Amino acid sequence: MAEKRLPDVDLLSLAGKVGTPFNIYDGRAIAENAKALYDAFSWVEGGFVDFFAVKALPNINVLRLLASLGFGADCSSLPELILARQAGISPDKIVFTSNDTPDDEFKAAYDMGAVLNLDDISHIDAVLRSCGSLPQTICFRYNPGPERTGNAIIGNPVEAKYGLTKTQLVEAYRRAAALGVRTFGLHTMVASNELDASYIVETARMVFSLVDIVARQTGVRISFVDLGGGVGIPYRESDEAVSFRYLGDEIHRLYDSMIVAKGYGPLKVTFEMGRAITGPFGYLVSTVRHVCRKYKDYVGLDACMADLMRPALYGAYHHITVLGKEDLPCDHVYDVTGSLCENNDKFAIDRRLPEIEEGDVLVIHDTGAHGHSMGFNYNAKLRHAEYLIGLDGKVCRIRRDETFDDYVRTMLYEPEEVL
């Protein structure tokens, strides 16, 4: 069972001081979680690193914290690449994993020295065209197709736009080696927010078997494997968290039998976990504007789907705490909503909560990944501030509230004729 805890700061006082809504991240809990991951994989003889998925929480202050804890960065766009470098992450710990990639972004990642993780066999030609040659290190993303099943978020691999087939993968390594590449990586990502730890272990088994297949069919020796992200977090109290220790121990056994025993070690093992690192340690704090009783009872917040779109996009569940009423019975049923002109702008539907009044402060849990980063400006909603609880326990603002001037900064009040 996943006990839902609040960070060790006075959120009511903070809300009264800085106003709501805002996101706050518990840096101390993130650091403790990070240590657990690295301890679980300390056995990796070729070295272990998690390339934090920047898309999950692209704030430079969080990236700096993670960099200090040994993390790299998994980037999917040029701005993410720049952000990772500005956070102090070295190029050899940055992986560029993208799809439908423009030539100029391949060139930027190449010039930066980031590891190119190619999503399609045709991207070899795209890199040659944009960069003039392939880098000395290259990685390919594998799509297992009907050999594996995905899940509701990432979809069935057969239907996924990502990655190379097994036949394409073998040909890609053969061709890259002929073009002068000397260091090779192998990557896959077949699930998202997966709470079944055995699924992640089976992904490692699949990847380790491919190391053998590639070596036997092409002569290419894989130097590192990226087992992707996809490790879920317990959004519901009834969920069980994935044990990093269990993953480490089970993957260690596979490594010994499938890599060491066959002479393919030492092999670097990496992940690109984002959600599993920061997700449980973020909180969206919001104030109740209205309580309305129509055909249903509605709690209207000063936050909206522009602050957290997962419930509207996926039907995702996020636990809610009413500050000061944690010990009261949850004997009322509400839809918890925002103010967008869209009826799916709801954080919760038919949620049992204590009786709620205007002015109550609600905390929406597990917003430390794919929360603020997925925000938008529909209805001209301005995006809100972010705060970080530092390792010293101090709370610092790490992103200010967006203003109207920010919103219209790229708007041309006097149109410029271009054609």
Side-chain angles (χ1 to χ4, degrees), residues 304-316 347 370-371 374-376:
C304 69
M305 186 170 70
D307 298 294
L308 178 66
M309 69 184 298
R310 294 187 72 254
L313 187 63
Y314 302 132
F347 297 109
H370 309 287
M374 295 177 72
F376 53 91

Side-chain angles (χ1 to χ4, degrees), residues 174-185:
R174 185 179 288 121
R175 187 175 176 210
L179 288 167
V181 176
R182 294 292 174 261
T183 305
F184 297 90

Side-chain angles (χ1 to χ4, degrees), residues 70-124:
F71 283 70
D74 171 64
C75 302
S76 299
S77 67
L78 179 56
E80 288 185 355
L81 285 167
I82 295 171
L83 199 59
R85 286 296 291 126
Q86 290 183 347
I89 300 174
S90 61
D92 63 300
K93 296 180 76 171
I94 297 175
V95 171
F96 185 51
T97 304
S98 63
N99 62 95
D100 291 331
T101 309
D103 283 1
D104 63 328
E105 295 200 0
F106 274 137
K107 183 67 163 58
Y110 179 96
D111 289 345
M112 184 181 291
V115 177
L116 297 186
N117 182 27
L118 301 189
D119 187 63
D120 190 78
I121 192 168
S122 68
H123 291 177
I124 294 175

Side-chain angles (χ1 to χ4, degrees), residues 41 43 142 144 147-148 166 186 188 190 197-214 216 225-228 246-247 249-259 262 264 267 269 271:
F41 285 88
W43 55 265
Y142 174 59
E147 295 180 16
R148 297 294 299 277
K166 187 176 294 183
L186 171 61
T188 196
V190 288
S198 66
Y199 189 97
I200 308 301
V201 174
E202 287 307 303
T203 296
R205 185 191 305 277
M206 177 187 73
V207 170
F208 291 160
S209 70
L210 282 169
V211 170
D212 180 55
I213 290 170
V214 169
R216 286 189 289 105
V225 293
D226 186 336
L227 301 179
Y246 172 84
L247 286 182
D249 289 347
E250 292 301 306
I251 293 174
H252 191 180
R253 292 188 184 96
L254 291 179
Y255 180 90
D256 284 346
S257 63
M258 301 180 71
I259 299 298
K262 294 183 179 181
Y264 294 128
L267 185 69
V269 177
F271 280 94

